Amino acid sequence: YDGTALTYRELNETSNQLAHYLLSRYDIEPDVLVGIELERNEWMVISILAIIKAGGAYVPIDPNYPLARKEFIKQDSGILFCLNIDTLLDFKKEWKDCVKSNPPAPINADNLVYCIYTSGSTGNPKAVTIEHKQLSSYVMFNKEYFFKSIENSMHTNWYAVTNYTFDISVFEILGSLAMGFTINLNPIGNTEYLLSSIAANPHGVLQITPSYFEELILDEKAKTILPSLGVLLIGGEAMGEKVFSFIKDYLPQNTVFNVYGPTEATIWSTAFLLTGAKKVLLGKPLGNESIYILNHDLNLVPIGSIGEICIGGVGLARGYLNRPDLTREKFIENPFKAGERIYRTGDLGRLREDG
């Protein structure tokens, strides 16, 4: 980020030191929520890792949010404390004295790893709680599917462009680290910086929303730079014809996926390979995920008929924080598999004959 580069050893040791520092001052235990309110730089990544290494789960808060929204998140989540610039300034005074070894965090797969507040476009935002098992399942079962075209992950840059308050940023940060990639932190919304990053480090990974991609391709240089991408994941919104036409015209040889999935089902739930495609589809379920198209009575609709997209599998969140009624309404018992749940997305779709 901005001329600063850290090796995996430096990142691990520094985040360990910060984790030990936090543990010496706060009673961090499994499932304890810790706020993080930092500007976008290498310390944001170090701090996310430190909170997880200390055994807690992180709650990202954008420093640029309105004060009322920040206060709501802090009060609603009941965070133990908020890791901010003041925390880091105090830590840096004692940095060199902190232990570099991995802290003995007593966490397991059922403990929380992060809690992300959705946009709250219809009232106050709601918090989605994700456990380690959901994130681990997502990364481990999908890395080969998305990235098998990339030969050497140790030299693969991931151009991270997503605000850490959105769950797809987790794939960029924790997912890329789990796969041995290099995180190239890009400033939010700076298309010129992003194109320069891709040009300097070709054959990497970009995950982006269609609306941001539309901004990116307004720059004429995009036509010559973006074909050097290794993998493009594009999702989070409906894809318009302008974006799809650019992909068909300028990225015919690239590995490009249209991806779909709500925060409640951990990052992405379906993917469709756009390379050579005639139209944009949501594709098929990703590893350890399942999709059902149901009617109002929660019965499967016939192939080709419209119904509600419901998601099952390991990726489903624990639920909504402090919202048991909403959790019961949206995360319901799977009518087809006893002891499992499905998430009602509220989105409509249809199953094609080819699956």
Side-chain angles (χ1 to χ4, degrees), residues 25-292:
R25 282 157 178 75
Y26 303 98
D27 188 19
I28 302 175
E29 296 179 341
D31 283 1
V32 164
L33 298 180
V34 177
I36 172 171
E37 185 181 347
L38 291 172
E39 297 293 342
R40 187 177 180 80
N41 56 42
E42 70 275 15
W43 284 100
M44 179 190 80
V45 179
I46 292 167
S47 299
I48 287 172
L49 288 174
I51 292 169
I52 296 171
K53 284 170 174 284
Y58 75 96
V59 183
I61 303 169
D62 190 334
N64 299 309
Y65 276 162
L67 181 61
R69 182 180 172 94
K70 290 195 286 189
E71 288 304 313
F72 170 80
I73 292 174
K74 291 173 184 178
Q75 292 176 16
D76 183 70
S77 62
I79 54 174
L80 181 64
F81 68 97
C82 189
L83 197 167
N84 54 28
I85 188 63
D86 293 330
T87 314
L88 293 181
L89 290 173
D90 289 340
F91 162 67
K92 288 175 182 179
K93 296 173 186 175
E94 305 180 30
W95 185 358
K96 303 304 179 187
D97 298 324
C98 295
V99 181
K100 294 182 179 180
S101 59
N102 292 328
I107 52 177
N108 61 47
D110 294 320
N111 291 134
L112 296 179
V113 61
Y114 63 84
C115 173
I116 283 184
Y117 278 78
T118 60
S119 59
S121 55
T122 55
N124 283 328
K126 54 185 182 292
V128 179
T129 51
I130 300 293
E131 300 164 334
H132 281 267
K133 64 185 176 190
Q134 287 118 36
L135 179 57
S136 296
S137 169
Y138 176 84
V139 173
M140 299 310 293
F141 276 84
N142 296 309
K143 61 180 183 178
E144 185 173 345
Y145 176 73
F146 283 132
F147 307 118
K148 59 187 174 185
S149 64
I150 297 177
E151 294 179 4
N152 192 343
S153 65
M154 297 303 283
H155 299 287
T156 297
N157 277 263
W158 190 314
Y159 322 104
V161 299
T162 309
N163 192 317
Y164 76 154
T165 57
F166 293 95
D167 79 319
I168 61 175
S169 71
V170 179
F171 200 19
E172 294 177 335
I173 297 171
L174 299 179
S176 61
L177 288 175
M179 292 180 283
F181 291 4
T182 298
I183 306 173
N184 190 319
L185 274 187
N186 285 255
I188 303 293
N190 190 328
T191 56
E192 189 171 342
Y193 189 106
L194 175 55
L195 287 172
S196 297
S197 295
I198 297 170
N201 303 284
H203 202 60
V205 179
L206 176 62
Q207 175 183 250
I208 195 169
T209 61
S211 55
Y212 189 18
F213 193 78
E214 269 201 51
E215 288 183 44
L216 193 63
I217 60 179
L218 289 175
D219 192 318
E220 277 296 313
K221 295 192 295 293
K223 295 175 181 177
T224 55
I225 292 175
L226 292 182
S228 70
L229 279 170
V231 174
L232 173 64
L233 305 176
I234 186 160
E237 305 156 346
M239 183 183 298
E241 185 56 39
K242 184 184 294 185
V243 170
F244 186 42
S245 294
F246 184 95
I247 291 169
K248 287 187 292 185
D249 293 342
Y250 297 100
L251 306 177
Q253 307 302 320
N254 297 77
T255 303
V256 183
F257 290 97
N258 182 47
V259 281
Y260 160 83
T263 304
E264 290 85 346
T266 310
I267 310 175
W268 304 120
S269 298
T270 71
F272 177 66
L273 185 62
L274 285 171
T275 309
K278 298 289 193 293
K279 62 186 297 186
V280 181
L281 304 176
L282 293 189
K284 295 185 178 182
L286 290 169
N288 262 8
E289 307 273 343
S290 53
I291 299 290
Y292 305 90

